[in-house]
């Protein structure tokens, strides 16, 4: 490994060489129509690739229409959507980054409004019926209809079908969204999963749908290409929060990460929270410390995320063995060229498009 900056060293996952370790975290832009990406998405993602990110992850993309967080979220539930996604994958690749997409089902938090319109559940009539592991609603949202076994199998099949479409569109990484209280995450946490069948109760049962989705995606995703899993390493539910049921803990995450690795997941994208409203510690390392624990104890490859804004600290997360890569969220919204600026700050070589590189 170079002594200049580990952030700008490639990461090999299966046969895929990701050119550096500064990656764009999936972030909804609530700007799609019927799930189709628009010119806004094209310029948004292309400029983050041009700014030097090693991997650009497209925001949460519904595997079914009713699995979208909002009516303005992206979707890959139809073959007709493939060409518009191909434009995104091609533009990201042309910018020098690896194109990745996050496949998602919003579960009981679906049918919401855009955050800049106040967020929360859409008024009845504007949204659609939501589903979940059990009838417990997310606070302020309608009661979800519990999925039966046949419907669970349908959701699993939809993840695989969406992955197949993502592959046809040219994406090289598929990320399964099992974080933030959305459908898969709501099965994982005892706070939201009150089932007493084989999809509830023990950790093995609560994780069953996630492992089924991983297996189904892996069955259609080439062996040469990686699959990521985003998890909430904790849902921050403690005895102090309003819940009488325990939440999902970092110990659970270590176990899930191990199982996910056995099922063919190549990287754990270690986020947190979202299952219930709960206070989050006000510390820079609130989330990265949990990523480090999962990496250390489960012996898996981990991407850290959350409040990473300083190049020096991002580099330290890698050099101290807390993460293998960093995902940037809001820092990349503020500055699409954050990776190139960080490269300069750390003495590494920025990556310019050839249209710019000869001139600057
Ligand atoms: C506007 C916005 C949209 C987001 N949308 C998603 C999403 O689609 N999928 C997801 O897993 N996380 C989503 N997140 C969470 C981010 O990926 C990231 O984990 C979080 O913002 C913390 O990183 P940061 O401190 O670098 O912003 C979103 C965050 C923001 C700010």
């Amino acid at each position: 490994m170079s002594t200049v900056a580990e952030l700008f060293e490639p990461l090999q996952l299966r046969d895929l060489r990701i050119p550096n370790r500064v990656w764009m975290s999936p972030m909804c832009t609530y700007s799609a129509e019927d799930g189709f990406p628009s010119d806004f998405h094209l310029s948004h993602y292309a400029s983050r690739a041009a700014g030097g990110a090693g991997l650009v992850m497209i925001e949460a993309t519904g595997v079914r229409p009713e699995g979208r967080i909002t009516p303005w979220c992206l979707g890959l539930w139809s073959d007709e959507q493939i060409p518009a996604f191909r434009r995104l994958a091609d533009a990201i690749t042309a910018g020098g980054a690896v194109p990745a997409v996050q496949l998602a089902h919003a579960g009981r938090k679906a049918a919401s409004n855009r955050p800049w319109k106040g967020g929360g559940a859409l008024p009845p009539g504007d949204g659609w019926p939501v589903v979940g592991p059990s009838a417990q609603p997310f606070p302020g949202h309608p009661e979800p209809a519990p999925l039966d076994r046949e419907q669970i199998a349908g959701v699993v099949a939809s993840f695989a079908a969406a992955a197949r479409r993502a592959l046809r569109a040219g994406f090289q990484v598929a990320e399964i969204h099992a974080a933030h209280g959305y459908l898969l995450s709501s099965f994982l946490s005892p706070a939201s999963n009150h089932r007493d069948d084989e999809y509830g109760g023990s950790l093995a049962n609560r994780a069953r749908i996630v492992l089924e989705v991983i297996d189904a995606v892996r069955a259609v995703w080439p062996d040469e290409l990686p699959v990521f899993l985003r998890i909430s390493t904790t849902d921050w539910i403690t005895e102090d929060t309003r819940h009488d049921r325990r939440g999902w803990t970092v110990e659970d995450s270590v176990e899930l990460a191990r199982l996910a690795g056995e099922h063919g997941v190549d990287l754990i994208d270690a986020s947190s929270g979202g299952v219930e409203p709960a206070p989050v510690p006000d510390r820079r390392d609130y989330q990265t410390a949990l990523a480090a624990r999962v990496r250390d104890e489960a012996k898996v490859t981990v991407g850290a995320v959350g409040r990473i804004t300083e190049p020096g600290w991002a580099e330290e997360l890698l050099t101290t063995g807390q993460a293998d890569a960093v995902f940037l969220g809001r820092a990349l919204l503020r500055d699409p060229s954050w990776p190139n600026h960080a490269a300069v700050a750390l003495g590494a070589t920025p990556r310019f498009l050839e249209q710019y590189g000869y001139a600057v």
Side-chain angles (χ1 to χ4, degrees):
M1 188 139 303
S2 145
T3 51
V4 176
E6 289 195 19
L7 274 181
F8 294 95
E9 289 298 317
L11 181 65
Q12 183 85 24
L13 293 173
R14 299 197 182 224
D15 289 353
L16 182 68
R17 185 177 176 278
I18 305 175
N20 66 42
R21 293 153 187 255
V22 188
W23 301 348
M24 183 174 184
S25 200
M27 280 175 288
C28 292
T29 56
Y30 312 103
S31 301
E33 251 182 64
D34 294 328
F36 285 81
S38 66
D39 286 353
F40 166 77
H41 295 92
L42 189 67
S43 65
H44 173 67
Y45 289 112
S47 52
R48 271 70 196 179
L55 174 147
V56 170
M57 177 85 66
I58 305 294
E59 65 203 72
T61 295
V63 300
R64 291 175 166 234
E66 71 275 18
R68 288 173 294 172
I69 302 167
T70 75
W72 305 278
C73 288
L74 291 177
L76 262 175
W77 62 80
S78 156
D79 287 357
E80 286 174 23
Q81 290 158 330
I82 294 173
F85 276 85
R86 175 163 280 288
R87 291 175 78 216
L88 302 188
D90 287 349
I92 293 167
T93 304
V98 166
V101 59
Q102 187 185 52
L103 303 176
H105 190 305
R108 65 186 193 149
K109 293 171 80 174
S112 292
N113 206 345
R114 285 168 160 140
W116 61 83
K117 298 281 186 193
L122 282 168
D126 290 353
W128 54 85
V130 299
V131 297
S134 5
Q136 278 66 37
F138 185 78
H141 285 247
E143 185 176 300
L147 290 175
D148 64 25
R149 289 193 185 95
E150 203 181 317
Q151 291 167 323
I152 288 175
V155 166
V156 171
S158 295
F159 269 94
R164 203 185 286 114
R165 293 186 190 106
L167 187 68
R168 283 176 56 195
F171 287 91
Q172 293 186 293
V173 174
E175 174 166 281
I176 298 163
H177 195 352
H180 303 164
Y182 297 114
L183 186 67
L184 299 182
S185 167
S186 68
F187 269 82
L188 290 172
S189 177
S192 43
N193 182 344
H194 298 204
R195 298 174 76 101
D196 55 13
D197 65 357
E198 70 268 35
Y199 290 96
S202 66
L203 174 60
N205 280 356
R206 283 179 281 116
R208 188 177 307 278
I209 186 172
V210 177
L211 299 178
E212 287 177 351
V213 168
I214 295 168
D215 290 346
V217 168
R218 257 280 152 239
V220 301
W221 203 249
D223 284 346
E224 297 76 32
L225 293 176
V227 170
F228 294 0
L229 181 70
R230 175 164 270 205
I231 61 171
S232 286
T233 47
T234 172
D235 50 24
W236 301 112
I237 291 169
T238 65
E239 283 163 15
D240 299 336
T241 54
R242 68 175 187 85
H243 252 280
D244 54 353
R245 295 171 71 97
R246 83 166 181 90
W248 175 261
T249 65
V250 67
E251 289 79 15
D252 297 329
S253 291
V254 169
E255 183 57 23
L256 176 65
R258 255 194 227 115
L259 290 168
E262 287 168 16
H263 285 252
V265 163
D266 302 286
L267 179 135
I268 296 292
D269 174 359
S271 187
S272 74
V275 173
E276 297 279 329
V280 172
D282 185 19
R283 286 197 325 261
R284 174 174 82 161
D285 69 347
Y286 75 110
Q287 203 162 260
T288 57
L290 300 173
R293 252 190 90 179
V294 171
R295 184 178 188 270
D296 187 43
E297 292 179 29
K299 313 279 181 242
V300 291
T301 303
V302 163
V305 60
R307 294 179 66 169
I308 301 171
T309 56
E310 297 296 323
W313 190 53
E315 173 71 3
E316 193 183 315
L317 289 170
L318 302 194
T319 55
T320 53
Q322 297 185 67
D324 299 280
V326 294
F327 285 96
L328 300 184
R330 290 161 293 178
L332 267 178
L333 294 185
R334 289 190 287 268
D335 176 9
S337 293
W338 193 101
N340 276 342
H341 293 149
V344 171
L346 296 172
T349 310
R351 190 190 74 220
F352 292 113
L353 297 182
E354 62 181 358
Q355 290 91 333
Y356 310 152
Y358 77 97
V360 293

